Amino acid sequence: MKELKPDVIHSHLGALNYLLYSCLFDHRNYFHTIHSLPSIECSKIQMLVRKYFFKFEHIFPITISKPVDVGFIQLYNLNRRKLIVNGRKIPIKSDKFIHVENEINNLKERYNQPIVFINIANIKPNKNQEMLIKVANQLESN
């Protein structure tokens, strides 16, 4: 960073941990995007450290959805943040659509199930896979 001398430094996920020291002594504009519910995004110690940096305006937090924004306010008890909805283009069907649709239909037939859950995400605690499994089990039992 000393060589590049950027005016703005942005981090997300665990990258924030690598910026903390420089935030104390460097007066650039630091931003950190929070993608997951803050209560499960980091450990208790990390949360306390982040709260210090957010509260004393070393780093400006950005939330990407209303639930994440509400979770930020509840966990950190701070109002200084910006909600920027994590937008994306409207999805279009790719050339793989029919193949995937056939795979899903085959799974439905093979297991005699009307619904097939597909989860595209890292299998990490902050993705809350356990909740997805619990919901699927509840639907199965109903």
CSV table of all heavy atoms in Angstrom, one decimal, residues 16-48:
chain,number,residue,atom,x,y,z
A,16,LEU,N,-10.3,-7.9,6.2
A,16,LEU,CA,-10.3,-6.8,7.2
A,16,LEU,C,-9.2,-7.0,8.2
A,16,LEU,O,-8.5,-6.1,8.6
A,16,LEU,CB,-11.6,-6.6,7.8
A,16,LEU,CG,-11.7,-5.5,8.9
A,16,LEU,CD1,-11.5,-4.2,8.2
A,16,LEU,CD2,-13.1,-5.5,9.5
A,17,ASN,N,-9.0,-8.2,8.6
A,17,ASN,CA,-8.0,-8.6,9.7
A,17,ASN,C,-6.6,-8.1,9.3
A,17,ASN,O,-5.8,-7.8,10.2
A,17,ASN,CB,-8.0,-10.0,10.0
A,17,ASN,CG,-9.4,-10.5,10.5
A,17,ASN,OD1,-10.2,-9.7,11.1
A,17,ASN,ND2,-9.7,-11.8,10.3
A,18,TYR,N,-6.3,-8.1,8.0
A,18,TYR,CA,-5.0,-7.7,7.5
A,18,TYR,C,-4.8,-6.2,7.4
A,18,TYR,O,-3.7,-5.7,7.3
A,18,TYR,CB,-4.7,-8.4,6.2
A,18,TYR,CG,-4.8,-9.9,6.2
A,18,TYR,CD1,-5.9,-10.6,5.7
A,18,TYR,CD2,-3.8,-10.6,6.9
A,18,TYR,CE1,-5.9,-11.9,5.8
A,18,TYR,CE2,-3.8,-12.0,6.9
A,18,TYR,CZ,-4.9,-12.6,6.4
A,18,TYR,OH,-5.0,-14.0,6.5
A,19,LEU,N,-5.9,-5.5,7.5
A,19,LEU,CA,-5.8,-4.0,7.4
A,19,LEU,C,-5.8,-3.3,8.7
A,19,LEU,O,-5.6,-2.1,8.8
A,19,LEU,CB,-7.0,-3.5,6.5
A,19,LEU,CG,-7.1,-4.0,5.1
A,19,LEU,CD1,-8.4,-3.5,4.5
A,19,LEU,CD2,-5.9,-3.5,4.3
A,20,LEU,N,-6.2,-3.9,9.8
A,20,LEU,CA,-6.4,-3.3,11.1
A,20,LEU,C,-5.2,-2.4,11.5
A,20,LEU,O,-5.4,-1.3,11.9
A,20,LEU,CB,-6.8,-4.3,12.1
A,20,LEU,CG,-8.1,-5.0,11.8
A,20,LEU,CD1,-8.4,-6.1,12.9
A,20,LEU,CD2,-9.3,-4.1,11.7
A,21,TYR,N,-4.0,-2.9,11.5
A,21,TYR,CA,-2.9,-2.2,11.9
A,21,TYR,C,-2.7,-0.9,11.1
A,21,TYR,O,-2.5,0.2,11.7
A,21,TYR,CB,-1.6,-3.1,11.9
A,21,TYR,CG,-0.4,-2.4,12.3
A,21,TYR,CD1,-0.1,-2.2,13.7
A,21,TYR,CD2,0.5,-1.9,11.4
A,21,TYR,CE1,1.0,-1.5,14.1
A,21,TYR,CE2,1.7,-1.2,11.8
A,21,TYR,CZ,1.9,-1.0,13.2
A,21,TYR,OH,3.0,-0.4,13.6
A,22,SER,N,-2.8,-1.0,9.8
A,22,SER,CA,-2.6,0.2,9.0
A,22,SER,C,-3.7,1.2,9.2
A,22,SER,O,-3.4,2.4,9.0
A,22,SER,CB,-2.4,-0.2,7.5
A,22,SER,OG,-3.6,-0.8,7.0
A,23,CYS,N,-4.9,0.7,9.5
A,23,CYS,CA,-6.0,1.7,9.8
A,23,CYS,C,-5.7,2.6,10.9
A,23,CYS,O,-6.2,3.8,11.0
A,23,CYS,CB,-7.3,0.9,10.1
A,23,CYS,SG,-8.0,0.0,8.7
A,24,LEU,N,-4.9,2.2,11.9
A,24,LEU,CA,-4.6,3.0,13.1
A,24,LEU,C,-3.7,4.2,12.7
A,24,LEU,O,-3.8,5.2,13.3
A,24,LEU,CB,-4.0,2.2,14.2
A,24,LEU,CG,-4.9,1.2,14.9
A,24,LEU,CD1,-4.1,0.3,15.8
A,24,LEU,CD2,-6.0,1.9,15.6
A,25,PHE,N,-2.8,4.0,11.8
A,25,PHE,CA,-1.8,5.0,11.5
A,25,PHE,C,-1.9,5.6,10.1
A,25,PHE,O,-1.2,6.5,9.8
A,25,PHE,CB,-0.4,4.3,11.6
A,25,PHE,CG,-0.2,3.7,13.0
A,25,PHE,CD1,-0.3,2.3,13.1
A,25,PHE,CD2,0.0,4.5,14.1
A,25,PHE,CE1,-0.1,1.7,14.4
A,25,PHE,CE2,0.1,3.9,15.3
A,25,PHE,CZ,0.1,2.5,15.5
A,26,ASP,N,-2.9,5.2,9.4
A,26,ASP,CA,-3.0,5.7,8.0
A,26,ASP,C,-4.4,6.3,7.9
A,26,ASP,O,-5.4,5.8,8.4
A,26,ASP,CB,-2.9,4.5,7.1
A,26,ASP,CG,-2.9,4.9,5.6
A,26,ASP,OD1,-3.0,6.1,5.3
A,26,ASP,OD2,-2.8,4.0,4.8
A,27,HIS,N,-4.4,7.5,7.3
A,27,HIS,CA,-5.7,8.2,7.3
A,27,HIS,C,-6.3,8.2,5.9
A,27,HIS,O,-7.0,9.1,5.5
A,27,HIS,CB,-5.5,9.7,7.7
A,27,HIS,CG,-5.0,9.7,9.1
A,27,HIS,ND1,-5.7,9.4,10.2
A,27,HIS,CD2,-3.7,10.0,9.6
A,27,HIS,CE1,-5.0,9.5,11.3
A,27,HIS,NE2,-3.8,9.9,11.0
A,28,ARG,N,-6.2,7.1,5.2
A,28,ARG,CA,-6.9,6.9,3.9
A,28,ARG,C,-8.4,6.5,4.2
A,28,ARG,O,-8.8,6.3,5.4
A,28,ARG,CB,-6.3,5.8,3.1
A,28,ARG,CG,-4.9,6.0,2.8
A,28,ARG,CD,-4.3,4.8,2.1
A,28,ARG,NE,-2.9,4.6,2.4
A,28,ARG,CZ,-1.9,4.8,1.6
A,28,ARG,NH1,-2.1,5.2,0.4
A,28,ARG,NH2,-0.7,4.7,2.0
A,29,ASN,N,-9.2,6.4,3.2
A,29,ASN,CA,-10.6,6.0,3.3
A,29,ASN,C,-10.6,4.5,3.3
A,29,ASN,O,-10.4,3.9,2.3
A,29,ASN,CB,-11.4,6.6,2.2
A,29,ASN,CG,-11.4,8.1,2.3
A,29,ASN,OD1,-11.8,8.6,3.3
A,29,ASN,ND2,-11.0,8.7,1.2
A,30,TYR,N,-11.0,3.9,4.4
A,30,TYR,CA,-11.1,2.4,4.6
A,30,TYR,C,-12.6,2.1,4.6
A,30,TYR,O,-13.4,2.7,5.3
A,30,TYR,CB,-10.4,1.9,5.8
A,30,TYR,CG,-9.0,1.8,5.8
A,30,TYR,CD1,-8.2,3.0,6.0
A,30,TYR,CD2,-8.3,0.7,5.4
A,30,TYR,CE1,-6.8,2.9,6.0
A,30,TYR,CE2,-6.9,0.6,5.3
A,30,TYR,CZ,-6.2,1.8,5.6
A,30,TYR,OH,-4.8,1.7,5.6
A,31,PHE,N,-13.0,1.1,3.8
A,31,PHE,CA,-14.4,0.6,3.7
A,31,PHE,C,-14.3,-0.9,3.9
A,31,PHE,O,-13.4,-1.6,3.4
A,31,PHE,CB,-15.0,0.9,2.4
A,31,PHE,CG,-15.2,2.4,2.2
A,31,PHE,CD1,-14.1,3.1,1.6
A,31,PHE,CD2,-16.3,3.1,2.5
A,31,PHE,CE1,-14.3,4.5,1.4
A,31,PHE,CE2,-16.4,4.4,2.3
A,31,PHE,CZ,-15.4,5.2,1.7
A,32,HIS,N,-15.3,-1.5,4.6
A,32,HIS,CA,-15.5,-2.9,4.7
A,32,HIS,C,-16.9,-3.3,4.4
A,32,HIS,O,-17.8,-2.8,5.1
A,32,HIS,CB,-15.1,-3.4,6.1
A,32,HIS,CG,-15.2,-4.8,6.3
A,32,HIS,ND1,-14.3,-5.7,5.7
A,32,HIS,CD2,-16.1,-5.6,7.0
A,32,HIS,CE1,-14.7,-7.0,6.0
A,32,HIS,NE2,-15.7,-6.9,6.8
A,33,THR,N,-17.1,-4.2,3.5
A,33,THR,CA,-18.4,-4.7,3.1
A,33,THR,C,-18.7,-6.0,4.0
A,33,THR,O,-17.9,-6.9,4.0
A,33,THR,CB,-18.5,-5.0,1.6
A,33,THR,OG1,-18.2,-3.8,0.9
A,33,THR,CG2,-19.9,-5.6,1.3
A,34,ILE,N,-19.9,-6.0,4.6
A,34,ILE,CA,-20.4,-7.1,5.4
A,34,ILE,C,-21.4,-7.8,4.6
A,34,ILE,O,-22.5,-7.3,4.2
A,34,ILE,CB,-21.0,-6.5,6.7
A,34,ILE,CG1,-19.9,-5.7,7.5
A,34,ILE,CG2,-21.5,-7.7,7.5
A,34,ILE,CD1,-20.4,-4.9,8.6
A,35,HIS,N,-21.1,-9.1,4.2
A,35,HIS,CA,-21.9,-9.9,3.3
A,35,HIS,C,-22.9,-10.8,4.0
A,35,HIS,O,-23.9,-11.1,3.5
A,35,HIS,CB,-21.0,-10.8,2.4
A,35,HIS,CG,-20.2,-10.0,1.4
A,35,HIS,ND1,-20.7,-9.7,0.2
A,35,HIS,CD2,-19.0,-9.5,1.5
A,35,HIS,CE1,-19.8,-9.0,-0.5
A,35,HIS,NE2,-18.7,-8.9,0.3
A,36,SER,N,-22.5,-11.2,5.2
A,36,SER,CA,-23.3,-12.2,6.0
A,36,SER,C,-23.9,-11.5,7.2
A,36,SER,O,-23.5,-10.4,7.6
A,36,SER,CB,-22.5,-13.4,6.4
A,36,SER,OG,-21.9,-14.0,5.3
A,37,LEU,N,-24.8,-12.2,7.9
A,37,LEU,CA,-25.3,-11.7,9.2
A,37,LEU,C,-24.1,-11.5,10.1
A,37,LEU,O,-23.3,-12.4,10.4
A,37,LEU,CB,-26.3,-12.6,9.8
A,37,LEU,CG,-27.6,-12.8,9.0
A,37,LEU,CD1,-28.5,-13.9,9.6
A,37,LEU,CD2,-28.4,-11.5,8.9
A,38,PRO,N,-24.0,-10.3,10.6
A,38,PRO,CA,-22.8,-10.0,11.5
A,38,PRO,C,-22.7,-10.9,12.7
A,38,PRO,O,-21.5,-11.1,13.1
A,38,PRO,CB,-23.0,-8.5,11.9
A,38,PRO,CG,-23.9,-7.9,10.8
A,38,PRO,CD,-24.8,-9.1,10.4
A,39,SER,N,-23.7,-11.4,13.2
A,39,SER,CA,-23.7,-12.2,14.4
A,39,SER,C,-23.0,-13.5,14.1
A,39,SER,O,-22.5,-14.2,15.1
A,39,SER,CB,-25.1,-12.5,15.0
A,39,SER,OG,-25.9,-13.1,14.0
A,40,ILE,N,-22.9,-14.0,12.9
A,40,ILE,CA,-22.2,-15.2,12.6
A,40,ILE,C,-21.0,-15.0,11.6
A,40,ILE,O,-20.4,-16.0,11.2
A,40,ILE,CB,-23.2,-16.3,11.9
A,40,ILE,CG1,-23.8,-15.7,10.7
A,40,ILE,CG2,-24.2,-16.7,12.9
A,40,ILE,CD1,-24.7,-16.7,9.9
A,41,GLU,N,-20.7,-13.8,11.3
A,41,GLU,CA,-19.7,-13.5,10.4
A,41,GLU,C,-18.3,-13.6,11.0
A,41,GLU,O,-17.3,-14.0,10.3
A,41,GLU,CB,-19.8,-12.1,9.8
A,41,GLU,CG,-18.8,-11.7,8.8
A,41,GLU,CD,-18.9,-10.3,8.3
A,41,GLU,OE1,-18.9,-9.4,9.1
A,41,GLU,OE2,-18.9,-10.2,7.0
A,42,CYS,N,-18.2,-13.4,12.3
A,42,CYS,CA,-16.8,-13.4,12.9
A,42,CYS,C,-16.9,-13.8,14.3
A,42,CYS,O,-18.0,-13.9,14.9
A,42,CYS,CB,-16.1,-12.1,12.7
A,42,CYS,SG,-17.0,-10.7,13.5
A,43,SER,N,-15.8,-14.1,14.9
A,43,SER,CA,-15.8,-14.6,16.3
A,43,SER,C,-16.1,-13.4,17.2
A,43,SER,O,-16.1,-12.2,16.8
A,43,SER,CB,-14.4,-15.1,16.7
A,43,SER,OG,-13.4,-14.1,16.7
A,44,LYS,N,-16.3,-13.6,18.5
A,44,LYS,CA,-16.6,-12.6,19.5
A,44,LYS,C,-15.4,-11.6,19.6
A,44,LYS,O,-15.6,-10.4,19.6
A,44,LYS,CB,-16.8,-13.3,20.8
A,44,LYS,CG,-17.2,-12.3,22.0
A,44,LYS,CD,-18.6,-11.9,21.9
A,44,LYS,CE,-19.0,-11.2,23.2
A,44,LYS,NZ,-20.3,-10.6,23.1
A,45,ILE,N,-14.2,-12.1,19.6
A,45,ILE,CA,-13.0,-11.2,19.7
A,45,ILE,C,-13.0,-10.3,18.4
A,45,ILE,O,-12.7,-9.1,18.5
A,45,ILE,CB,-11.7,-12.0,19.8
A,45,ILE,CG1,-11.7,-12.7,21.2
A,45,ILE,CG2,-10.5,-11.2,19.6
A,45,ILE,CD1,-10.6,-13.7,21.5
A,46,GLN,N,-13.2,-11.0,17.2
A,46,GLN,CA,-13.1,-10.2,16.0
A,46,GLN,C,-14.2,-9.1,16.0
A,46,GLN,O,-14.0,-8.0,15.5
A,46,GLN,CB,-13.3,-11.1,14.8
A,46,GLN,CG,-12.1,-11.9,14.5
A,46,GLN,CD,-12.4,-13.0,13.4
A,46,GLN,OE1,-13.5,-13.5,13.3
A,46,GLN,NE2,-11.4,-13.2,12.5
A,47,MET,N,-15.4,-9.5,16.5
A,47,MET,CA,-16.5,-8.5,16.6
A,47,MET,C,-16.1,-7.3,17.5
A,47,MET,O,-16.4,-6.2,17.1
A,47,MET,CB,-17.7,-9.2,17.2
A,47,MET,CG,-19.0,-8.4,17.2
A,47,MET,SD,-19.2,-7.2,18.6
A,47,MET,CE,-19.4,-8.4,19.9
A,48,LEU,N,-15.5,-7.6,18.6
A,48,LEU,CA,-15.1,-6.5,19.5
A,48,LEU,C,-14.0,-5.6,18.8
A,48,LEU,O,-14.1,-4.3,18.9
A,48,LEU,CB,-14.5,-7.0,20.8
A,48,LEU,CG,-15.6,-7.7,21.7
A,48,LEU,CD1,-14.9,-8.4,22.9
A,48,LEU,CD2,-16.6,-6.7,22.2
